[in-house]
Structures are given as C-alpha cells and as structure tokens.
Amino acid sequence: MTALLLNTTARVRRRADHHRRCDCDRDTLETPWKAEMCQILHARKRVEKRALLDEFLYTHESEIARVLKRAQHISRLDYHDKDLVLSYFGDALMRMLETRWRAKSGPGTSSVFNYSRNLPTILEAETRYWIREDRRKGLLNGTAGVPGDSSHDRRAKLVKRSRELFETEHARTPSDAELVDFHNTRMYATRKDAARQSVLITIRGLGSLRSRLFAVRGE
C-alpha cells in the first residue's frame, strides 16, 4: 500500500509540473522530460526560458549523458570529443524548441509537441541528423588533427548555426550585435560552462570567425 501511495504521489507531482496552460495529451504527461519542456515552451520571457533550460540541463545531466553517448557512438564521432556532441545536442534542442515544438502564433506549444511522448529518443535522432548534415557538407569528419577540429573552427560552426536559428526565428538576417547576443544566450542556455568552453563571441571576433569558417569550408 505504501509503495502504491508513493507511486501515485509521484505521478500527481509530475503532472503538476506541467505549465498551467498545458495542452499536452494526457497519456504523455508523465513521459521523460515532458513537464520541463512544457514549462520552457510556455515561458514568455527569454530570461525565464534560459533559467528553465539551465535547470533542465542540470537536473537531467545523467540522462542527457546517456543520450549523448549513444549519439556519439552511432555517429562515429571521436569518443574523446565530448564537447562536440554536446554542442550538437544543444543545437538540436534549440531547433526543436523554436521551430517544431513552439506554437506558431503566440506563446505555448504546437500539436507536434502535445502528442510527443519520447523526447529523449527524438532529441537523440535530431542530434544525429545535424551531425550527418554537417558531415555531408564537409564541415565535420569527427577526427582529430585536421581542419575543422580546432576550437576556433568549432566556434565558427556554432556561430553559423546561431545565425541560421536567428534567421529561422525572426525571418531576417541579424546585425552583428544581435548575432552576438543571440549566440551567447544560446551557448549559456545549452552548455554547462560556456565561458570555459571557448564558445562565446564578441563583435570584434566575428570577422576572424567568418574568415576561419570560409577556410574550413574551402570557399
């Protein structure tokens, strides 16, 4: 009886963790990561969304690590390169939040998210997809000691993705100041210690990053 009571209490708590305007399908309320993503998608302010993302990454660090390990293994990335697969996971998460799971008009969630029930598997698949896309474009080969593997090259690729995400979200090209703010906010939201991982940028540094990215791509 005690075990049953504890299990029921836990289920009620997980359901209560959803946003008060939650539209999620009732059969998905208790699935992994659903309540946290529901809160993030309903957040109106960037600072609130960022705080919720930080809390999500911290709370589910061990589960995310397992997703990253599978994605890294299946994608045949260098097993030493933990930061690279984490950056792809962060990109996949932000893309899903901003382009697929968020309601197209006003705050809230899309029907795609409302009926999603296995978010870890979805995000693992998205992570592997973006790894494949960069590899297909010649931007990634997953080995050390070659162009495209230095921290400067990786930062250039991250900035390129930030620009793409900004253009998708706002339907226009960002100014340098907007790109710096958008990129750094994204890095703080998707990395445990962005400052120490050499992923943050400044307006002055954008010029050299653009040149480096062109060199990596052979343009």
Side-chain angles (χ1 to χ4, degrees), residues 11 14-15 18 22-32 34-35 116:
R11 292 178 63 183
R14 285 195 295 271
R15 289 170 178 250
H18 282 255
C22 167
D23 294 320
C24 297
D25 180 74
R26 292 184 62 82
D27 291 337
T28 73
L29 293 178
E30 299 169 39
T31 56
K34 195 65 183 286
S116 296

Side-chain angles (χ1 to χ4, degrees), residues 5-116:
L5 179 62
L6 290 174
N7 185 51
T8 301
T9 302
R11 292 178 63 183
V12 171
R13 185 174 62 251
R14 285 195 295 271
R15 289 170 178 250
D17 285 340
H18 282 255
H19 195 274
R20 64 182 181 278
R21 291 193 297 275
C22 167
D23 294 320
C24 297
D25 180 74
R26 292 184 62 82
D27 291 337
T28 73
L29 293 178
E30 299 169 39
T31 56
W33 302 359
K34 195 65 183 286
E36 292 91 338
M37 292 295 103
C38 182
Q39 290 281 355
I40 293 169
L41 287 163
H42 280 282
R44 294 177 179 271
K45 297 180 180 179
R46 177 178 291 186
V47 64
E48 180 186 1
K49 181 171 66 174
R50 175 172 162 181
L52 289 170
L53 270 171
D54 286 344
E55 183 178 354
F56 165 73
L57 294 171
Y58 177 78
T59 302
H60 296 286
E61 184 176 1
S62 59
E63 298 101 304
I64 291 172
R66 287 193 288 271
V67 169
L68 297 181
K69 186 175 182 179
R70 286 195 300 269
Q72 191 170 17
H73 174 72
I74 295 172
S75 300
R76 299 182 180 179
L77 291 178
D78 186 338
Y79 71 94
H80 292 295
D81 204 341
K82 308 299 183 184
D83 289 342
L84 182 61
V85 69
L86 177 59
S87 72
Y88 276 104
F89 174 84
D91 289 340
L93 174 59
M94 294 302 291
R95 287 174 188 266
M96 295 302 287
L97 285 171
E98 298 300 338
T99 65
R100 299 196 187 181
W101 290 344
R102 190 178 299 282
K104 299 304 179 183
S105 58
T109 58
S110 70
S111 58
V112 172
F113 174 79
N114 294 339
Y115 290 94
S116 296

Side-chain angles (χ1 to χ4, degrees), residues 79-171:
Y79 71 94
H80 292 295
D81 204 341
K82 308 299 183 184
D83 289 342
L84 182 61
V85 69
L86 177 59
S87 72
Y88 276 104
F89 174 84
D91 289 340
L93 174 59
M94 294 302 291
R95 287 174 188 266
M96 295 302 287
L97 285 171
E98 298 300 338
T99 65
R100 299 196 187 181
W101 290 344
R102 190 178 299 282
K104 299 304 179 183
S105 58
T109 58
S110 70
S111 58
V112 172
F113 174 79
N114 294 339
Y115 290 94
S116 296
R117 60 179 68 240
N118 197 338
L119 302 186
T121 298
I122 292 172
L123 284 168
E124 179 189 334
E126 283 294 303
T127 301
R128 289 160 50 193
Y129 170 79
W130 292 112
I131 291 171
R132 287 198 306 272
E133 281 296 288
D134 271 9
R135 185 169 278 147
R136 181 179 64 81
K137 296 174 183 176
L139 294 175
L140 172 71
N141 59 19
T143 59
V146 296
D149 194 57
S150 74
S151 61
H152 203 77
D153 294 332
R154 291 176 199 164
R155 187 160 61 245
K157 294 171 193 173
L158 291 173
V159 172
K160 176 178 178 292
R161 293 193 192 96
S162 292
R163 182 184 297 278
E164 292 171 348
L165 286 171
F166 186 99
E167 291 174 348
T168 298
E169 183 175 344
H170 299 281

